[in-house]
Amino acid sequence: MSRKPYVRQMSKTSWFLTHSRYKHYILHEVTCIFIAIYAVILIFGLFRLGQGPEAWQGWLDGLRSPLGVIFQILAFGFAMIHTWSWFKVVPQAMRIQRGESFVPGNLIIGAHYGVLAIISLFVLILAGVA
Amino acid sequence: MARSSKAIPWLLFAGGGTVTAFILPVMILITGLFALFGVFSGALSYETMQAFVGNWLIKIILFGILFLTLWHAAHRLRVVAHDFGIRADTGVAIVVYGLAAVGTVATVIALLSV
Amino acid sequence: MSTRTITIEVLRYRPEQDQEPFFQSYTVPCDEDWVVLDALNYIKDELDRTLSYRWSCHMFVCGSCGIVVDGEPKLGCKAFVKDYGDKIRVEPLGNFPIERDLVVVIDDFIEKLESVNPYLIPKEEKSIDDGEYLQTPAQLKAFKQYSMCINCLLCYSACPQYGLDPSFVGPAALALAHRYNMDSRDVGRKAREDVVASHEGIWECSFVGACSQVCPKDVDPAGAIQQTKITSAIDYVTSFLPGGNR
Ligand code: SF4
């Protein structure tokens, strides 16, 4: 008897809309777009800093423009999504074995949030706020 | 099958993903809060920032953060392009890594100009 | 025991007469403790002898009854009807060609499994008279999770990267490679590395993580692949250093 296997194609451009876990995945993947733009803004700021007080003030004004504010609110949201999704999977990528058992995943994740808090506090103090 | 050179950008992606996860939220908080409420206006004043970035240790740290952030984003953009159905992977890789390389050089020049 | 009447919609495909698959509905009186596989068996026994599907053990061990239930890859024997509504949609595993009804063609996976040398490669062969290759409980623990795989292929069904690019070696095969790489009695990592660390191997994975979410044996293929990425990437870089072996 001749065989005739049937091949189903998945959409190459919209597959990630077909299941909630794929939507979560694509949401944390696109964080890189905002992260990239923010990095470019920072590098641009360093250039402006080297060009003198007016140039620097111009860059600060840019941050304060409506577009700058809206972008940074979005960027902060996506940066948090990145942080959250990144920490969440650390125990899978980095198992720590102690004898016959593994350090619990939640402990590893918790430690990451602890370090995040310390670093954030440190930077805020450095910036003269906290 | 041959071992893939993707190992190298992946290491930068992974390192950058970790660094950005820890540092970017607070950085955006600082520039963003300044933008919204003008707090930190002293900290972000021209004189303070000049002195701050003028420090060599700070230069090196800023370079490390920006370099890894750029390559993290570049590698993930390559994956996003693939996931959105853009199949010219080699072309995409050349563009995104090329941009990251340009950004890296720009970061060095900018830091040295301060 | 109470029964509930459930409509089971099965994706049918009969290669000798159908151009493409279609859904066929069966009305099945299900006992409350039934699994979807029981419902399929009822259909086969009482309603329609032509329905084709694979199964063997009915107890999550053989790995042959993988199907997609209401859009989610499941073992037919582990999907309890009480967890579903009055209408249950049953499809063959995704990302594999359909041979007939719920039976898929898995030759591609078998080839990939073979390609990663999924067996112990000891430093030196010992004869049986020389005794066992000894291992401590802690050494066993290091890889045990990855040895639980029953080749049910739910992970391949859930993996979009395998669906997008079938040349990807895929979750279960890479997890099994990791299982042997992590075994203290094994020295075969180098032999596996050419396939594992190729473009089609671990580097095709973008850590969607779906495989680990659907795995019925908690194998965590996604974790295995990320761990392999870390060691392979470090290997790759150090191979360029003086004294590194390429
Ligand atoms: S890794 Fe899990 S889902 Fe994949 S084949 Fe093995 S048991 Fe099934």
Side-chain angles (χ1 to χ4, degrees), chain C residues 8-170:
Chain C
I8 309 276
E9 292 182 334
V10 185
L11 193 68
R12 306 272 333 251
Y13 173 64
R14 298 156 303 179
E16 60 285 339
Q17 55 193 114
D18 300 330
Q19 282 316 304
E20 53 183 44
F22 65 98
F23 280 103
Q24 184 167 351
S25 291
Y26 300 97
T27 307
V28 181
C30 295
D31 282 356
E32 61 182 343
D33 61 352
W34 272 15
V35 290
V36 173
L37 179 58
D38 294 318
L40 293 177
N41 285 340
Y42 180 91
I43 295 170
K44 180 92 174 170
D45 292 344
E46 311 289 339
L47 305 175
D48 186 350
R49 289 186 301 133
T50 68
L51 181 68
S52 296
Y53 55 97
R54 290 193 178 111
W55 73 288
S56 176
C57 77
H58 200 291
M59 48 188 274
F60 344 142
V61 171
C62 75
S64 51
C65 67
I67 46 176
V68 173
V69 184
D70 280 356
E72 194 71 6
K74 290 275 181 193
L75 293 179
C77 65
K78 219 184 168 188
F80 285 86
V81 293
K82 66 174 184 306
D83 297 331
Y84 295 87
D86 290 335
K87 195 187 262 187
I88 304 178
R89 218 163 223 233
V90 178
E91 297 165 76
L93 288 180
N95 298 335
F96 291 101
I98 306 176
E99 181 76 50
R100 168 186 298 273
D101 296 341
L102 300 175
V103 176
V104 291
V105 185
I106 60 169
D107 302 17
D108 182 55
F109 167 70
I110 303 296
E111 261 173 49
K112 280 162 180 166
L113 185 61
E114 283 173 1
S115 76
V116 300
N117 303 326
Y119 41 79
L120 210 64
I121 303 180
K123 200 166 183 170
E124 52 201 282
E125 289 292 343
K126 289 207 281 191
S127 77
I128 293 179
D129 300 334
D130 296 336
E132 310 85 345
Y133 297 96
L134 292 177
Q135 189 163 58
T136 67
Q139 287 170 329
L140 169 68
K141 190 77 184 192
F143 68 84
K144 184 155 185 226
Q145 179 180 20
Y146 309 115
S147 71
M148 304 308 281
C149 175
I150 55 174
N151 298 353
C152 66
L153 305 188
L154 301 195
C155 51
Y156 283 75
S157 179
C159 176
Q161 300 305 353
Y162 180 65
L164 291 168
D165 185 353
S167 67
F168 177 34
V169 177

Side-chain angles (χ1 to χ4, degrees), chain A residues 9-108:
Chain A
Q9 287 295 349
M10 74 191 248
S11 160
K12 294 221 187 297
T13 49
S14 64
W15 60 268
F16 43 83
L17 299 176
T18 60
H19 197 295
S20 63
R21 67 167 66 94
Y22 302 153
K23 288 181 197 162
H24 287 144
Y25 161 77
I26 212 73
L27 182 68
H28 76 233
E29 287 298 289
V30 298
T31 56
C32 72
I33 296 172
F34 293 85
I35 289 175
I37 297 173
Y38 186 71
V40 169
I41 292 175
L42 288 187
I43 295 168
F44 186 65
L46 289 174
F47 268 113
R48 302 305 263 167
L49 186 62
Q51 287 166 349
E54 284 98 71
W56 176 249
Q57 193 53 48
W59 184 75
L60 287 181
D61 291 344
L63 286 186
R64 301 189 79 157
S65 70
L67 196 66
V69 170
I70 291 169
F71 172 77
Q72 289 186 88
I73 291 173
L74 281 175
F76 182 73
F78 278 98
M80 286 309 293
I81 291 172
H82 167 67
T83 299
W84 170 77
S85 61
W86 195 268
F87 287 177
K88 188 164 62 104
V89 297
V90 170
Q92 282 177 278
M94 220 179 57
R95 295 198 307 174
I96 306 172
Q97 191 176 357
R98 290 262 173 280
E100 285 174 49
S101 55
F102 293 95
V103 175
N106 283 338
L107 201 67
I108 299 178

Side-chain angles (χ1 to χ4, degrees), chain B:
Chain B
M1 282 189 246
R3 296 187 196 183
S4 168
S5 58
K6 242 191 189 176
I8 291 169
W10 182 83
L11 273 179
L12 297 176
F13 160 78
T18 306
V19 167
T20 50
F22 281 115
I23 198 78
L24 273 201
V26 69
M27 283 176 78
I28 302 176
L29 206 58
I30 288 174
T31 57
L33 279 181
F34 163 79
L36 268 180
F37 307 115
V39 278
F40 308 108
S41 43
L44 290 182
S45 77
Y46 179 74
E47 291 73 26
T48 324
M49 285 306 288
Q50 268 283 341
F52 183 66
V53 182
N55 183 310
W56 269 100
L57 186 64
I58 298 298
K59 273 200 215 298
I60 291 168
I61 292 173
L62 281 177
F63 174 77
I65 292 173
L66 288 168
F67 167 73
L68 286 173
T69 304
L70 286 170
W71 286 87
H72 164 78
H75 186 69
R76 201 167 236 185
L77 268 177
R78 177 183 179 185
V79 176
V80 167
H82 168 92
D83 289 341
F84 283 172
I86 301 168
R87 277 305 126 84
D89 184 55
T90 313
V92 170
I94 292 171
V95 171
V96 293
Y97 297 150
L99 286 174
V102 170
T104 305
V105 173
T107 306
V108 172
I109 296 174
L111 281 169
L112 291 181
S113 76
V114 179

